[in-house]
Amino acid sequence: MKKECISCKVDISAVNNSVIFDCPSCGKVEIVRCGKCRGLSTDYRCPNCDFVGP
Ligand SMILES: [Zn+2]
Ligand SMILES: [Zn+2]
């Protein structure tokens, strides 16, 4: 299944250093971040609990 970065919607299989983790606040949503957004410290927002993290 294709995974898209939560911030920029890129297919993370095409980007190195991408990460997938459960929301640190609610733990119910899988947060997908590409290596580029990690490098830029782009904010992400959990669609379930509105947690915002770097
Ligand atoms: Zn991204
Ligand atoms: Zn959450």
Side-chain angles (χ1 to χ4, degrees):
M1 195 174 122
K2 193 169 105 172
K3 301 271 189 194
E4 294 180 340
C5 172
I6 198 167
S7 300
C8 70
K9 312 294 183 197
V10 74
D11 178 354
I12 63 159
S13 66
V15 184
N16 289 332
N17 301 318
S18 300
V19 289
I20 301 172
F21 55 94
D22 292 335
C23 170
S25 179
C26 68
K28 291 185 175 166
V29 177
E30 199 173 62
I31 307 289
V32 181
R33 299 190 78 206
C34 73
K36 190 174 142 214
C37 287
R38 284 182 70 208
L40 296 171
S41 296
T42 305
D43 286 351
Y44 62 86
R45 188 159 63 87
C46 172
N48 183 56
C49 69
D50 280 346
F51 175 82
V52 177

